[in-house]
Amino acid sequence: TSAGYQDKLAVRATGAAALTLTNPADIAAGATSAVGVVAASAGSLAGNLTLGFTSKALAGTTLADAALAGGSVALTGAAYDYAQPTIASTLSLGNRRVGTSASLLVTNTTRTAAAYQDSLDAVASTTVGTLSLANPANILAGKSGNVTVTAATAGSLAGDVTFALTSNANGVTGLDATTALTGQTVAVTGAAYDLANPSYATTLALGNRRVGPAEVIAIANPARANGAAAYQDSLDFVAASSNAKLTLAGATANVAAGSSADLGVSVNTAGSLAATLSLGLASNANGVSGLTGQSLAAGSITVTGAAYDTARATLAATTLALGDVRPGASLGTALTNTVVTAAAYQDSLDIVASGAPATFTLAAPSKLFAGQSGDVVVTATKAGSLAANISLALTSNANGLTGLANSALAGQTVAVTGAVYDLANPSYAATQALGNLRVGVTARTVDVTNATITSAGYQDKLAVRATGAAALTLTNPADIAAGAT
């Protein structure tokens, strides 16, 4: 009737355990006050709220409080927890290979009931340039997801992974779509190592060359792109040749990252140098904890070319002793271009003979191919001493092969001894007039001359034996020296 003459209303609310209820102060007539309803824990809020009412007598009256009929309020709704991220504060990756990954577990730990809890959005990021991250999908309550942490490049992996965390209401009506949660940081330790990175030319063109040192091949272990030499394996290699004509120096080596080693190739024998140099390759972890060495794909180097021996002059005799001979007599010695390895891979031999005196002529081959022989021949042509030294100038002739040059060889000498003698050379008048003589009287002499042909010292004496008419007595002279009568 009148607010001044009406009791206050005391309200005592009770209801679901999921709710925390706060009763209002006594409500004066004509006033309104609220029962505080707070979701105490996640879950369904559906149920009845029971209201107990008491009529509170006004102060100053002699009236007593009176219980009123209670009331009931049907409640609907639900309470939801925020997502609760659980992430380890450290991640030890140890020493590992580039490209390998590890999982960083992120859990949306259930607070009360998974069905009444937000999912978790986790976005990881890092300033560590050697790491790459792949974030998990939205994580439901009570579930876990992995951030995939990959060693992207070689180097130290030490640094922080920072998480931006969001509680996702997943479109539940009445809730904020997302709520930012306190971020977290994970301290990462470890290092990533590249495998060795073999690099070398796959062909070696030796061309035409001589036996001996040939070429050097660089076997390198360059630092990989975006990598660091300090975090890359060294390279072990073992080289072998399919052709025994090639000798390898430095065939076994360990090459530090960012360095190279020389594989020396020498030719030990003339012939075709066609070959394959096989390379056994391995990545050497050098004892770094947690890593092991690893075999790499074998390599090969194709070699082309040919090696040629220089000509090799072999003289059968270095002296020609003709003794005492007549003009026209000859004597020779064989000169051979002796095969060193294979005739097809050897220079020809060019010969220039000189030093013949006037008493003989000299004949020699001008060119001998490998395996061929020819005679150096002395022929007596004129009376006199044959003593002389024949000089043989020798040249190894590459015959125009690309990459090769002719080369002078050590000359050789043939010592000639002997002498050439002319036959006696009788000269006389074909007629002799004796005239009329007495018996017993010396009639006339018939002059006979041993005429000199070349040199008196190198001509026979002339022996004369005369025969004739029975009426004559003939007296032969002593042997006639050349130039005498």
Side-chain angles (χ1 to χ4, degrees), residues 266-290:
S266 297
V267 179
N268 58 59
T269 309
S272 172
L273 302 179
T276 297
L277 304 184
S278 58
L279 296 176
L281 303 171
S283 189
N284 187 334
N286 298 301
V288 173
S289 176

mmCIF file of all heavy atoms in Angstrom, residues 266-290:
data_model
loop_
_atom_site.group_PDB
_atom_site.id
_atom_site.type_symbol
_atom_site.label_atom_id
_atom_site.label_comp_id
_atom_site.label_asym_id
_atom_site.label_seq_id
_atom_site.Cartn_x
_atom_site.Cartn_y
_atom_site.Cartn_z
ATOM 1 N N SER A 266 100.254 -37.747 -62.530
ATOM 2 C CA SER A 266 101.481 -37.843 -63.314
ATOM 3 C C SER A 266 101.380 -39.006 -64.278
ATOM 4 O O SER A 266 100.661 -39.977 -64.031
ATOM 5 C CB SER A 266 102.696 -38.039 -62.402
ATOM 6 O OG SER A 266 102.876 -36.922 -61.556
ATOM 7 N N VAL A 267 102.119 -38.879 -65.376
ATOM 8 C CA VAL A 267 102.133 -39.937 -66.393
ATOM 9 C C VAL A 267 103.421 -40.719 -66.222
ATOM 10 O O VAL A 267 104.523 -40.154 -66.265
ATOM 11 C CB VAL A 267 102.057 -39.323 -67.803
ATOM 12 C CG1 VAL A 267 102.106 -40.416 -68.851
ATOM 13 C CG2 VAL A 267 100.801 -38.485 -67.949
ATOM 14 N N ASN A 268 103.301 -42.033 -66.021
ATOM 15 C CA ASN A 268 104.490 -42.851 -65.803
ATOM 16 C C ASN A 268 104.901 -43.658 -67.024
ATOM 17 O O ASN A 268 106.025 -44.150 -67.092
ATOM 18 C CB ASN A 268 104.293 -43.778 -64.599
ATOM 19 C CG ASN A 268 103.099 -44.693 -64.759
ATOM 20 O OD1 ASN A 268 103.013 -45.480 -65.701
ATOM 21 N ND2 ASN A 268 102.150 -44.606 -63.827
ATOM 22 N N THR A 269 104.004 -43.815 -67.995
ATOM 23 C CA THR A 269 104.282 -44.637 -69.165
ATOM 24 C C THR A 269 103.568 -44.049 -70.363
ATOM 25 O O THR A 269 102.432 -43.579 -70.246
ATOM 26 C CB THR A 269 103.797 -46.088 -68.953
ATOM 27 O OG1 THR A 269 104.300 -46.582 -67.711
ATOM 28 C CG2 THR A 269 104.254 -46.993 -70.077
ATOM 29 N N ALA A 270 104.232 -44.097 -71.532
ATOM 30 C CA ALA A 270 103.603 -43.601 -72.744
ATOM 31 C C ALA A 270 102.436 -44.494 -73.156
ATOM 32 O O ALA A 270 102.404 -45.690 -72.869
ATOM 33 C CB ALA A 270 104.623 -43.530 -73.871
ATOM 34 N N GLY A 271 101.486 -43.877 -73.844
ATOM 35 C CA GLY A 271 100.317 -44.608 -74.340
ATOM 36 C C GLY A 271 99.061 -43.803 -74.131
ATOM 37 O O GLY A 271 99.094 -42.634 -73.743
ATOM 38 N N SER A 272 97.941 -44.430 -74.394
ATOM 39 C CA SER A 272 96.655 -43.762 -74.169
ATOM 40 C C SER A 272 96.466 -43.519 -72.679
ATOM 41 O O SER A 272 96.697 -44.396 -71.847
ATOM 42 C CB SER A 272 95.512 -44.618 -74.697
ATOM 43 O OG SER A 272 94.272 -44.060 -74.309
ATOM 44 N N LEU A 273 96.020 -42.299 -72.359
ATOM 45 C CA LEU A 273 95.792 -41.940 -70.961
ATOM 46 C C LEU A 273 94.315 -41.969 -70.606
ATOM 47 O O LEU A 273 93.924 -41.513 -69.525
ATOM 48 C CB LEU A 273 96.363 -40.546 -70.685
ATOM 49 C CG LEU A 273 97.857 -40.383 -70.985
ATOM 50 C CD1 LEU A 273 98.295 -38.962 -70.688
ATOM 51 C CD2 LEU A 273 98.692 -41.382 -70.189
ATOM 52 N N ALA A 274 93.480 -42.476 -71.503
ATOM 53 C CA ALA A 274 92.048 -42.549 -71.221
ATOM 54 C C ALA A 274 91.827 -43.337 -69.934
ATOM 55 O O ALA A 274 92.316 -44.462 -69.779
ATOM 56 C CB ALA A 274 91.314 -43.209 -72.381
ATOM 57 N N ALA A 275 91.113 -42.725 -68.998
ATOM 58 C CA ALA A 275 90.952 -43.361 -67.682
ATOM 59 C C ALA A 275 89.770 -42.740 -66.960
ATOM 60 O O ALA A 275 89.256 -41.680 -67.330
ATOM 61 C CB ALA A 275 92.214 -43.197 -66.842
ATOM 62 N N THR A 276 89.369 -43.435 -65.932
ATOM 63 C CA THR A 276 88.405 -42.893 -64.973
ATOM 64 C C THR A 276 89.082 -42.843 -63.610
ATOM 65 O O THR A 276 89.596 -43.854 -63.131
ATOM 66 C CB THR A 276 87.143 -43.759 -64.891
ATOM 67 O OG1 THR A 276 86.494 -43.757 -66.160
ATOM 68 C CG2 THR A 276 86.186 -43.216 -63.840
ATOM 69 N N LEU A 277 89.106 -41.643 -63.030
ATOM 70 C CA LEU A 277 89.591 -41.507 -61.660
ATOM 71 C C LEU A 277 88.386 -41.618 -60.743
ATOM 72 O O LEU A 277 87.485 -40.775 -60.776
ATOM 73 C CB LEU A 277 90.278 -40.160 -61.456
ATOM 74 C CG LEU A 277 91.443 -39.822 -62.397
ATOM 75 C CD1 LEU A 277 92.071 -38.503 -61.996
ATOM 76 C CD2 LEU A 277 92.475 -40.931 -62.419
ATOM 77 N N SER A 278 88.334 -42.670 -59.966
ATOM 78 C CA SER A 278 87.205 -42.876 -59.054
ATOM 79 C C SER A 278 87.505 -42.208 -57.720
ATOM 80 O O SER A 278 88.641 -42.243 -57.228
ATOM 81 C CB SER A 278 86.932 -44.368 -58.858
ATOM 82 O OG SER A 278 88.076 -45.022 -58.355
ATOM 83 N N LEU A 279 86.480 -41.563 -57.154
ATOM 84 C CA LEU A 279 86.626 -40.860 -55.890
ATOM 85 C C LEU A 279 85.681 -41.463 -54.856
ATOM 86 O O LEU A 279 84.458 -41.438 -55.033
ATOM 87 C CB LEU A 279 86.298 -39.374 -56.056
ATOM 88 C CG LEU A 279 87.211 -38.554 -56.970
ATOM 89 C CD1 LEU A 279 86.683 -37.133 -57.097
ATOM 90 C CD2 LEU A 279 88.634 -38.544 -56.441
ATOM 91 N N GLY A 280 86.255 -42.040 -53.807
ATOM 92 C CA GLY A 280 85.459 -42.446 -52.652
ATOM 93 C C GLY A 280 85.334 -41.249 -51.729
ATOM 94 O O GLY A 280 86.343 -40.661 -51.331
ATOM 95 N N LEU A 281 84.106 -40.848 -51.409
ATOM 96 C CA LEU A 281 83.865 -39.610 -50.662
ATOM 97 C C LEU A 281 83.106 -39.896 -49.375
ATOM 98 O O LEU A 281 82.187 -40.717 -49.362
ATOM 99 C CB LEU A 281 83.066 -38.630 -51.526
ATOM 100 C CG LEU A 281 83.690 -38.267 -52.878
ATOM 101 C CD1 LEU A 281 82.718 -37.469 -53.726
ATOM 102 C CD2 LEU A 281 84.974 -37.471 -52.670
ATOM 103 N N ALA A 282 83.485 -39.218 -48.323
ATOM 104 C CA ALA A 282 82.804 -39.380 -47.034
ATOM 105 C C ALA A 282 82.803 -38.061 -46.289
ATOM 106 O O ALA A 282 83.745 -37.274 -46.374
ATOM 107 C CB ALA A 282 83.483 -40.459 -46.197
ATOM 108 N N SER A 283 81.708 -37.827 -45.560
ATOM 109 C CA SER A 283 81.576 -36.639 -44.717
ATOM 110 C C SER A 283 82.059 -37.024 -43.326
ATOM 111 O O SER A 283 81.552 -37.950 -42.703
ATOM 112 C CB SER A 283 80.110 -36.199 -44.687
ATOM 113 O OG SER A 283 79.964 -34.958 -44.069
ATOM 114 N N ASN A 284 83.064 -36.301 -42.831
ATOM 115 C CA ASN A 284 83.724 -36.639 -41.576
ATOM 116 C C ASN A 284 83.270 -35.659 -40.491
ATOM 117 O O ASN A 284 83.552 -34.469 -40.547
ATOM 118 C CB ASN A 284 85.244 -36.557 -41.765
ATOM 119 C CG ASN A 284 86.001 -37.065 -40.567
ATOM 120 O OD1 ASN A 284 85.511 -37.041 -39.433
ATOM 121 N ND2 ASN A 284 87.214 -37.534 -40.784
ATOM 122 N N ALA A 285 82.527 -36.195 -39.484
ATOM 123 C CA ALA A 285 81.987 -35.346 -38.416
ATOM 124 C C ALA A 285 83.049 -34.929 -37.415
ATOM 125 O O ALA A 285 82.781 -34.107 -36.532
ATOM 126 C CB ALA A 285 80.863 -36.087 -37.690
ATOM 127 N N ASN A 286 84.256 -35.468 -37.547
ATOM 128 C CA ASN A 286 85.388 -35.056 -36.703
ATOM 129 C C ASN A 286 85.094 -35.159 -35.205
ATOM 130 O O ASN A 286 85.528 -34.332 -34.411
ATOM 131 C CB ASN A 286 85.812 -33.628 -37.054
ATOM 132 C CG ASN A 286 86.290 -33.504 -38.472
ATOM 133 O OD1 ASN A 286 87.227 -34.163 -38.880
ATOM 134 N ND2 ASN A 286 85.610 -32.678 -39.255
ATOM 135 N N GLY A 287 84.322 -36.189 -34.827
ATOM 136 C CA GLY A 287 84.109 -36.466 -33.414
ATOM 137 C C GLY A 287 83.150 -35.540 -32.709
ATOM 138 O O GLY A 287 83.060 -35.575 -31.475
ATOM 139 N N VAL A 288 82.395 -34.709 -33.438
ATOM 140 C CA VAL A 288 81.422 -33.836 -32.782
ATOM 141 C C VAL A 288 80.353 -34.699 -32.123
ATOM 142 O O VAL A 288 79.767 -35.578 -32.749
ATOM 143 C CB VAL A 288 80.775 -32.871 -33.800
ATOM 144 C CG1 VAL A 288 79.648 -32.084 -33.152
ATOM 145 C CG2 VAL A 288 81.828 -31.916 -34.346
ATOM 146 N N SER A 289 80.094 -34.452 -30.836
ATOM 147 C CA SER A 289 79.146 -35.249 -30.068
ATOM 148 C C SER A 289 77.772 -35.251 -30.728
ATOM 149 O O SER A 289 77.247 -34.204 -31.117
ATOM 150 C CB SER A 289 79.036 -34.691 -28.649
ATOM 151 O OG SER A 289 78.062 -35.370 -27.911
ATOM 152 N N GLY A 290 77.206 -36.450 -30.853
ATOM 153 C CA GLY A 290 75.862 -36.580 -31.400
ATOM 154 C C GLY A 290 75.828 -36.756 -32.899
ATOM 155 O O GLY A 290 74.765 -37.048 -33.457
#
